[in-house]
Amino acid sequence: MASIEFRNVSKMFGSQRVLAPTHLGIPNGEFFTVVGPSGSGKSTLLRLIAGLEVPSTGEILFDGERVDNKPAYSRNVGMVFQNYAIYPHMTISQNMSFGLEAQKIPKAQINQKVKEVAKILEIDGLLAKRPGQLSGGQKQRVALGRALVRNPRVFLMDEPLSNLDTQLRERMRKEIRLLHETFQITTVYVTHDQTEAMTMADRICVVNGGEIQQIGTPEDIYQHPANIFVAKFFGSPAMNVIAGRLVPYKETLAFEPEHDPERLSPLPADLAARGREHVLDGPVFLGFRPEAVGQETSGTAWEIPFVPVTIESLGSHYQIHGQWCDQPISLSTSIRPVRERHKVLNLLIPWTDVHWFYEDGSRINFAAPVRVRQEA
Amino acid sequence: MAQARSLTQNPPQSASAARSDSWGTRIKTSILGYGLILPSLLVFLTFFYGPAIFLAYIAFFHWNIFSANSTFVGLGNFLKLFHQPVFWQSLLNTAYYVVVLVPVTALLALALALLLREGLSRRGGGISRAFIFLPHVTPVVATSIIWVWIFNPQFGLANTVLHFLHLPALNWLESVHWALPSVMVYTLWHSVGLYTVLFLAGLASIPRSVIEAATTDGAHGWRMFKRVFWPMLGPITFFVVVLASINTMQTFSQIYTLTGGPHGGAGGPAFSTTTDSLLIYQTAFLYLHFSLASAMSIILFILIMTLTLIQKWVADRFVFYR
């Protein structure tokens, strides 16, 4: 078990940058998920920890001890691959004891450990079989067991569940989380699935284009996304983001949407005051989550017109997709909507549930000191 | 619409049609099929199976190319062979040649492939691969002549190298003991590239994630080779050994060129390089004993078959990864 630290770590493949200089600290025993779209550099980050890639700059430390100059075979990491990567020519028990044999542990002790872990993972009946005889879910368990049995310093998982069907994936999600609670091994878990990242992580690291966008707890990331990318990446349907600008309006300020400039939305007094400090009259993005619509609020609300186009029932709730002029808007509600398409509705979004973003996509944090804007 | 309707109505019609004249259709299809393979079948029958069958036929006759009357002698040709010391000598030479050359070739090719795999990602990796493969695309007769010069005891490169290494000079092709090993050296040089490329393909077919999993499992160097590469190369190793065995058993051109060439005397000195394919050639086309040569060919065929079957039996027992 170990803590992991990245100091200014970057990775180039030829002239292509796959990971920008990165600082990162993962405390001992944490379940840390790395999430991002394909090609975002999340797997590279994991492979750097494993030693399967060498960083172009910077240092990687386990428990304060430098490991980036150590080869992968001496780092004692347990890795689980997307395609399981089980040794096809060995039995399951040989697969699981392979790593322990390299550590020169007595045979009897190896057998005992393998049996122990196999029992926890409910694969003790498969030990004599060969990988070809196993189902996908069983192979996944073997891959987990093979990494676990060595009691590695860190546990690395590269999209381990993406080859499984939905039901099995949900079950394995819980089991991996439980295993983590039992063994308390620092785990870095790479996935492109935001649900997986949200449900499993102690902390999430969002990566895009080789750069870390935000690191935080699942709640933090959902409630205070650092930028539009993070805001839209989490939540389904994605956050509605509307481009526009703040313009003077009577005594106060109003939001003028780009796609419907006629419709000015005046800001409540306190927001206007802070808005003036932060953005003045520059372009701005307003975002709201599909489920924010129609929430009870003691304060004032943002009122927008909405034409529903499709209504999807998910049993427990409904997803409604429609438009405000030609701006697509998605809603999520547990109240059965009136099944009347193409009729203009008025939506009320509490101003407290509205996320504000600068022109460059980064979050406007009204609580924080005013950001100095660079004038052109 | 009309098209759609006809599409939906057609199946029952065609089904009944197929039932009523299924024989006719089948025969028509067969005629077309046989017609299409006929040209290549004719070529094969005329130039491959035909002569092969004819060869098997004359092996049991006293057959002469200059006279029409041939007499049936049963196993007489085979018995005659068994009483000729040169025949046994040729079998022994061939066995020596195959038993030494095949393992050496396979091991060297495997070693080169492993080295190249390490190096391929680095600069010059592709060039080294081309460099190793290049001898295999050169014509055997032409490069054999170059190696005759290399093996020249007085001014050849081979002895220069030995001298540089402070080793005694050899008589190479002129020595009874070293002539066949000289041919082996040439054959190794000429063929190892092919088997190296085969092993490289085998290595490339091992999933990268399996190698990476073994790496994170603490395996490297010899352990990685023994536990991951070697077992997973099983099928390709089997293929390489079979191919190399068949190729070496049939070696002819380089022995002919290196040890005598068109001026005669091939297979020497003192029959030390007379392998069975060379003996077959000499018996048939130098001494014109076609029946004897045919009998020898049949024996060679049986030997190659037996060896391959033994190898397959071994592979089935020990190559458990497919």
Side-chain angles (χ1 to χ4, degrees):
Chain A
M1 280 173 273
S3 65
I4 304 167
E5 195 183 340
F6 270 42
R7 286 187 191 156
N8 197 35
V9 174
S10 71
K11 179 68 186 171
M12 312 274 293
F13 284 130
S15 62
Q16 202 191 346
R17 193 191 72 179
V18 282
L19 191 69
T22 299
H23 294 271
L24 193 66
I26 304 169
N28 190 6
E30 187 170 64
F31 200 110
F32 189 80
T33 62
V34 182
V35 66
S38 30
S40 58
K42 55 187 192 301
S43 285
T44 305
L45 201 146
L46 195 77
R47 296 169 61 82
L48 283 166
I49 301 175
L52 297 173
E53 303 287 355
V54 180
S56 304
T57 66
E59 300 171 6
I60 300 169
L61 302 95
F62 287 179
D63 277 337
E65 165 212 359
R66 257 188 92 164
V67 293
D68 55 276
N69 44 15
K70 277 188 170 184
Y73 58 79
S74 67
R75 288 195 196 181
N76 193 15
V77 298
M79 189 146 171
V80 179
F81 295 81
Q82 181 177 353
N83 58 3
Y84 323 127
I86 296 176
Y87 313 126
H89 54 290
M90 298 184 198
T91 64
I92 302 312
S93 89
Q94 283 169 340
N95 258 281
M96 288 177 70
S97 43
F98 184 74
L100 289 172
E101 282 163 23
Q103 295 176 3
K104 307 232 158 42
I105 291 171
K107 196 95 193 151
Q109 213 175 321
I110 292 178
N111 287 340
Q112 201 204 328
K113 271 199 125 174
V114 166
K115 271 188 198 139
E116 229 174 81
V117 172
K119 193 155 192 162
I120 295 171
L121 286 162
E122 294 166 30
I123 48 172
D124 40 346
L126 307 174
L127 286 176
K129 293 202 172 176
R130 286 193 183 276
Q133 300 165 278
L134 267 55
S135 70
Q138 288 171 327
K139 282 184 193 167
Q140 190 57 72
R141 280 164 191 275
V142 173
L144 280 170
R146 184 176 64 182
L148 259 180
V149 78
R150 281 184 11 236
N151 194 21
R153 298 180 81 180
V154 295
F155 214 171
L156 307 174
M157 305 202 205
D158 193 359
E159 311 221 13
L161 304 185
S162 51
N163 284 3
L164 302 179
D165 63 58
T166 319
Q167 277 192 336
L168 198 54
R169 199 182 310 157
E170 274 174 30
R171 201 175 130 201
M172 288 306 289
R173 218 151 71 189
K174 265 183 240 130
E175 287 192 21
I176 290 177
R177 195 54 235 205
L178 272 173
L179 283 176
H180 179 254
E181 246 125 75
T182 317
F183 290 89
Q184 293 288 323
I185 300 171
T186 316
T187 302
V188 183
Y189 186 105
V190 163
T191 177
H192 65 270
D193 180 351
Q194 44 114 349
T195 322
E196 230 166 84
M198 291 288 269
T199 50
M200 297 178 82
D202 292 325
R203 278 196 311 155
I204 297 175
C205 171
V206 190
V207 194
N208 188 34
E211 282 182 55
I212 291 183
Q213 306 292 314
Q214 188 174 6
I215 298 176
T217 63
E219 297 79 17
D220 209 22
I221 291 218
Y222 194 74
Q223 286 159 14
H224 308 285
N227 53 42
I228 294 179
F229 175 80
V230 177
K232 287 195 136 181
F233 195 82
F234 290 92
S236 171
M239 182 188 277
N240 302 296
V241 177
I242 291 150
R245 55 197 302 119
L246 288 186
V247 292
Y249 177 79
K250 292 182 187 163
E251 303 290 276
T252 167
L253 283 180
F255 176 69
E256 181 194 275
E258 206 175 277
H259 67 282
D260 187 10
E262 305 294 300
R263 177 175 287 271
L264 293 177
S265 309
L267 304 189
D270 56 330
L271 258 183
R274 279 180 292 165
R276 221 178 247 125
E277 287 171 30
H278 282 80
V279 277
L280 299 165
D281 57 350
V284 70
F285 290 94
L286 295 197
F288 62 93
R289 299 249 175 232
E291 68 270 18
V293 175
Q295 299 283 340
E296 292 279 323
T297 174
S298 49
T300 51
W302 179 21
E303 200 180 324
I304 61 169
F306 175 69
V307 181
V309 179
T310 60
I311 298 170
E312 299 166 352
S313 170
L314 293 168
S316 63
H317 65 283
Y318 301 88
Q319 286 179 357
I320 311 166
H321 303 281
Q323 285 170 336
W324 166 10
C325 292
D326 44 8
Q327 167 80 36
I329 302 272
S330 295
L331 307 179
S332 172
T333 170
S334 56
I335 306 156
R336 192 187 159 80
V338 186
R339 286 201 174 262
E340 233 178 315
R341 297 195 177 101
H342 306 296
K343 187 190 163 199
V344 182
L345 303 172
N346 265 333
L347 300 182
L348 292 175
I349 301 132
W351 279 111
T352 47
D353 286 341
V354 174
H355 300 259
W356 294 66
F357 301 99
Y358 287 109
E359 197 182 356
D360 64 0
S362 60
R363 181 182 187 81
I364 304 175
N365 192 350
F366 284 129
V370 177
R371 196 171 92 160
V372 179
R373 292 179 66 232
Q374 285 173 351
E375 299 295 336
Chain B
M1 268 316 271
Q3 203 179 8
R5 200 175 302 131
S6 73
L7 273 177
T8 53
Q9 282 171 356
N10 255 347
Q13 271 177 10
S14 60
S16 65
R19 220 174 296 128
S20 65
D21 58 21
S22 67
W23 274 107
T25 320
R26 227 181 269 176
I27 288 166
K28 261 186 222 159
T29 320
S30 306
I31 289 172
L32 178 69
Y34 286 118
L36 286 171
I37 62 165
L38 193 63
S40 59
L41 195 68
L42 276 178
V43 169
F44 259 91
L45 280 175
T46 318
F47 296 106
F48 186 77
Y49 293 113
I53 292 162
F54 182 65
L55 180 146
Y57 171 79
I58 63 170
F60 298 95
F61 284 81
H62 191 81
W63 187 84
N64 192 324
I65 195 166
F66 301 114
S67 87
N69 46 1
S70 50
T71 43
F72 180 74
V73 291
L75 293 173
N77 288 323
F78 294 89
L79 291 173
K80 205 188 225 170
L81 275 180
F82 297 153
H83 286 105
Q84 286 190 359
V86 69
F87 171 71
W88 293 107
Q89 171 84 47
S90 81
L91 278 189
L92 210 65
N93 286 341
T94 309
Y96 175 40
Y97 185 72
V98 171
V99 167
V100 173
L101 192 53
V102 170
V104 169
T105 309
L107 284 176
L108 184 65
L110 178 60
L112 286 172
L114 287 167
L115 283 174
L116 276 177
R117 182 189 167 270
E118 288 296 310
L120 270 185
S121 51
R122 292 179 203 148
R123 192 183 294 190
I127 292 172
S128 339
R129 183 172 52 182
F131 199 71
I132 287 173
F133 188 67
L134 207 58
H136 187 68
V137 297
T138 60
V140 171
V141 172
T143 44
S144 293
I145 291 169
I146 294 171
W147 278 82
V148 169
W149 296 335
I150 290 176
F151 286 134
N152 184 300
Q154 272 80 49
F155 48 84
L157 181 66
N159 271 347
T160 312
V161 171
L162 288 186
H163 180 75
F164 184 76
L165 295 171
H166 300 290
L167 290 168
L170 295 173
N171 266 338
W172 298 109
L173 293 164
E174 293 168 20
S175 146
V176 178
H177 298 293
W178 290 102
L180 200 54
S182 304
V183 176
M184 290 183 200
V185 169
Y186 168 80
T187 310
L188 188 64
W189 170 81
H190 189 265
S191 65
V192 78
L194 172 71
Y195 303 118
T196 305
V197 169
L198 288 175
F199 271 123
L200 270 177
L203 283 169
S205 72
I206 300 176
R208 202 173 73 143
S209 59
V210 167
I211 298 169
E212 288 177 348
T215 308
T216 53
D217 257 351
H220 64 108
W222 172 246
R223 204 181 128 72
M224 176 71 104
F225 172 76
K226 195 180 126 206
R227 298 292 303 275
V228 180
F229 285 162
W230 178 243
M232 292 190 80
L233 283 175
I236 202 85
T237 309
F238 171 67
F239 180 65
V240 163
V241 167
V242 169
L243 196 67
S245 304
I246 293 172
N247 281 345
T248 48
M249 277 186 128
Q250 297 178 333
T251 305
F252 173 78
S253 313
Q254 54 263 56
I255 300 177
Y256 183 77
T257 323
L258 283 169
T259 64
H263 313 299
F271 298 107
S272 63
T273 56
T274 303
T275 58
D276 44 19
S277 51
L278 195 76
L279 190 61
I280 290 170
Y281 165 79
Q282 290 175 333
T283 310
F285 299 105
L286 219 59
Y287 308 116
L288 303 178
H289 297 313
F290 287 95
S291 298
L292 269 186
S294 302
M296 275 198 266
S297 302
I298 286 172
I299 291 170
L300 180 61
F301 171 73
I302 291 169
L303 284 176
I304 291 178
M305 261 322 249
T306 315
L307 185 67
T308 309
L309 286 174
I310 291 171
Q311 284 166 346
K312 185 166 163 26
W313 179 79
V314 171
D316 284 343
R317 287 198 57 178
F318 299 106
V319 181
F320 36 78
Y321 165 71
R322 290 274 141 126

